[in-house]
Amino acid sequence: MLFTHLADDLFRPLASPSRVFNAALLLHLHATVFGDAAEPLRKADLIVAIGEFSADWSQAEIADDETAPADPIERRSYVYRRLIEAGWLVERRERYVPVVDFDPEARILIEELARIDRGETRSYGGAVLEVLGALESAIANPADRSEALRNAAKAARTFLAHLRGLAGGLRKVEERILREQNVGAALRLYFEEFVERHLVSDYRTLHTRFNPFRFRSGIVREAGRALRDPLTLRVLAEGNLREGRAGDLAAAERMVRTDLVEILAIFEGLDPHLDAVAAVVARLERRIAATLRYREPRDADRIERVAAALRAAGAAPDAAFADMPAPEVSLLRPPIGPPQLTNPRMPRRAIESEPLPEIETDPAIEAFVLAKDAFRRRTTVTPERIAAFLDARLKPGRSLRGSDIAIADVDAFVVFQRLREIDVLFDGALRARYRLAPGEGRLTNDWIDCPDFTIERVAEPKGRRGAPAEAETRENR
């Protein structure tokens, strides 16, 4: 939970009467004072930096409920103690020198606040390409790039959240414009907040020639093919299991299917979100057009006066216009053309959907997968296999030399070749049951040539006779 990691009073400076100053100071410390410094700052240097920043603020803006000191030196220490008590800064000593740094959890929060303050906009093309690139990388090399599928699902969720945020931002601006009583202020909000911030930087990206959603069908196609390919699903699941993201193969395969289904659901269900954004844009454009149309009262006699002036100008003799300069603009050809006219919106092309065919699993593929599992089981040495191998040959109270062990087949040789490592194998799990000692001479047979060795059973303590040995099953590495 968020509030189990953050200090109890962390948000107090951001909710106090001096929250504007406190927020500006925290952003300044994060971006300028600390910056990219790898080491904490000396306390004296940080207090000086706080004093320099506070010099441009009045005493009323810095003070909270109590009165802030008027002396600049005392005031910077007052601000410093406020950030320390709230938990934004942490003070400690290194070689008797007091140093200060951001609290680790508070640093994560101030980075997000700085990103919001910068007003960073999300690139639709970059977000869609990020999902497509990660998905293609995971499918092209599922054994080594299984993590790319997780990144693709995460990028898809982030993209959907930003698209929802765009619709919410447009509705918020619409409410502000409708509440504005002054027509000039309403138009200023429309052009500065709506057009410049949202319509141009975000929404217009969806209606250009290089529409980022041209990659949408590729994402749906790649995710659908991977979801229908059992070999790809299995290799991706084995990658998740090998890299520790799942406890067993079944959970890893569920994780892969969940990520692919989530990507498909997001990019197949974008149309309602785009329609919601388009509805807000169209509604607000109609309101602004109506405001401009009825902003000034209509003059019923204006057309008659203009017509009378044109008739009088046409009936006047040519000598009346001899001393007048030639008009630069003809009344018959007004300065209106394609550069001045708005282009109509291009109709949105319907996205062709590819139906998911019913694919039956090839029996040869299933047989191949089962054969791989059987081969892996035969070549994997576990503590249980070694214990069963030795218990079948090692009599109670006697030792067993390696040269006396007969190797009948490949399965026995796979276990036999690891007996010389029994004291360190599996982190010494079998050390409590068997003792390994070097033997005299060499061991030579049709399978291997190595120094001889002796294995004997370790006597179990009284009270534990017959207790099963606890050994963790691990793959042979």
Side-chain angles (χ1 to χ4, degrees):
M1 294 296 293
L2 174 65
F3 292 98
T4 59
H5 298 282
L6 299 177
D8 295 338
D9 297 331
L10 189 69
F11 292 97
R12 187 177 62 185
L14 301 180
S16 64
S18 61
R19 55 183 175 271
V20 176
F21 167 77
N22 295 331
L25 175 59
L26 288 172
L27 293 175
H28 172 72
L29 294 179
H30 173 263
T32 305
V33 179
F34 286 95
D36 298 330
E39 299 294 333
L41 295 180
R42 291 174 175 265
K43 176 181 177 180
D45 298 338
L46 180 61
I47 291 180
V48 170
I50 293 176
E52 294 175 353
F53 180 82
S54 304
D56 299 330
W57 295 75
S58 65
Q59 186 176 359
E61 293 173 326
I62 298 176
D64 281 339
D65 297 335
E66 67 275 8
T67 303
D71 183 59
I73 297 178
E74 295 182 0
R75 185 168 59 177
R76 66 187 187 183
S77 300
Y78 164 80
V79 174
Y80 171 77
R81 288 193 303 271
R82 176 193 297 171
L83 299 181
I84 289 289
E85 294 171 357
W88 285 99
L89 300 178
V90 177
E91 179 182 338
R92 65 175 185 274
R93 290 184 176 273
E94 290 185 358
R95 298 179 181 179
Y96 304 101
V97 177
V99 294
V100 185
D101 198 0
F102 267 106
D103 180 79
E105 285 76 17
R107 183 184 293 275
I108 298 176
L109 178 60
I110 194 62
E111 287 176 356
E112 290 298 318
L113 295 178
R115 182 183 60 82
I116 296 174
D117 180 68
R118 290 192 299 268
E120 295 179 355
T121 57
R122 180 69 167 168
S123 170
Y124 284 106
V128 176
L129 280 178
E130 183 180 358
V131 177
L132 180 61
L135 186 60
E136 289 179 343
S137 176
I139 296 175
N141 192 1
D144 300 327
R145 304 287 178 85
S146 59
E147 180 68 21
L149 180 60
R150 303 288 295 172
N151 296 335
K154 185 186 302 182
R157 290 192 296 267
T158 303
F159 170 68
L160 180 61
H162 181 68
L163 193 59
R164 291 171 176 170
L166 173 60
L170 294 178
R171 294 189 185 96
K172 184 177 180 180
V173 175
E174 181 185 17
E175 293 177 358
R176 290 179 58 191
I177 293 175
L178 295 180
R179 287 198 305 266
E180 187 61 51
Q181 299 295 329
N182 190 321
V183 177
L187 294 176
R188 185 164 51 253
L189 280 175
Y190 173 77
F191 286 104
E192 292 181 357
E193 293 288 333
F194 180 77
V195 176
E196 182 178 356
R197 181 179 176 184
H198 294 286
L199 194 63
V200 174
S201 63
D202 277 329
Y203 180 74
R204 188 177 179 180
T205 312
L206 311 179
H207 298 82
T208 59
R209 182 186 305 174
F210 304 101
N211 187 349
F213 290 113
R214 67 186 185 273
F215 304 110
R216 175 183 175 185
S217 59
I219 294 175
V220 174
R221 181 172 57 253
E222 292 293 334
R225 288 176 180 174
L227 199 57
R228 299 190 299 267
D229 188 356
L231 282 180
T232 302
L233 291 176
R234 189 175 186 86
V235 176
L236 287 171
E238 290 175 350
N240 284 338
L241 182 62
R242 183 175 58 254
E243 296 173 9
R245 288 188 293 273
D248 51 31
L249 188 60
E253 188 168 349
R254 286 195 302 269
M255 184 184 301
V256 172
R257 290 182 179 273
T258 301
D259 291 339
L260 290 173
V261 169
E262 186 175 16
I263 293 173
L264 274 175
I266 289 175
F267 282 92
E268 285 181 343
L270 285 179
D271 289 328
H273 300 284
L274 297 178
D275 294 340
V277 173
V280 176
V281 173
R283 183 169 62 246
L284 194 52
E285 287 181 349
R286 288 195 302 268
R287 291 181 180 275
I288 294 300
T291 301
L292 293 175
R293 185 180 301 115
Y294 299 106
R295 183 180 182 183
E296 296 180 358
R298 289 189 174 184
D299 188 356
D301 298 332
R302 182 182 302 173
I303 298 177
E304 295 297 332
R305 289 199 302 269
V306 172
L310 291 176
R311 287 194 295 268
D318 296 338
F321 301 97
D323 298 335
M324 296 181 63
E328 298 180 358
V329 179
S330 173
L331 294 177
L332 301 179
R333 296 183 59 188
I336 297 177
Q340 288 79 27
L341 297 178
T342 58
N343 295 326
R345 290 198 184 98
M346 298 295 293
R348 186 184 304 168
R349 298 193 318 179
I351 298 178
E352 299 179 0
S353 60
E354 180 181 354
L356 301 178
E358 295 292 336
I359 298 178
E360 297 182 359
T361 305
D362 191 350
I365 296 177
E366 291 290 340
F368 174 71
V369 172
L370 294 176
K372 283 177 58 179
D373 293 341
F375 176 78
R376 186 180 297 108
R377 286 194 297 270
R378 291 186 63 183
T379 57
T380 300
V381 179
T382 62
E384 287 77 10
R385 287 189 63 183
I386 294 179
F389 182 86
L390 291 177
D391 291 342
R393 295 165 176 79
L394 189 58
K395 297 180 180 179
R398 297 185 59 183
S399 61
L400 180 65
R401 296 188 59 184
S403 56
D404 296 335
I405 300 175
I407 304 175
D409 51 18
V410 177
D411 294 339
F413 173 70
V414 170
V415 179
F416 177 80
Q417 67 175 346
R418 306 305 299 272
L419 294 180
R420 293 180 297 146
E421 308 169 5
I422 193 172
D423 55 341
V424 296
L425 201 61
F426 308 113
D427 295 334
L430 298 175
R431 194 182 304 163
R433 299 182 61 181
Y434 306 100
R435 181 181 296 111
L436 177 68
E440 298 180 358
R442 296 188 64 82
L443 186 158
T444 303
N445 53 33
D446 296 336
W447 299 85
I448 193 172
D449 184 2
C450 64
D452 201 359
F453 57 90
T454 302
I455 296 179
E456 60 182 2
R457 197 188 306 273
V458 177
E460 297 182 359
K462 294 182 179 180
R464 295 188 58 185
R465 188 176 303 277
E470 297 181 356
E472 182 182 2
T473 302
R474 301 185 180 180
E475 291 187 357
N476 181 18
R477 299 181 179 177

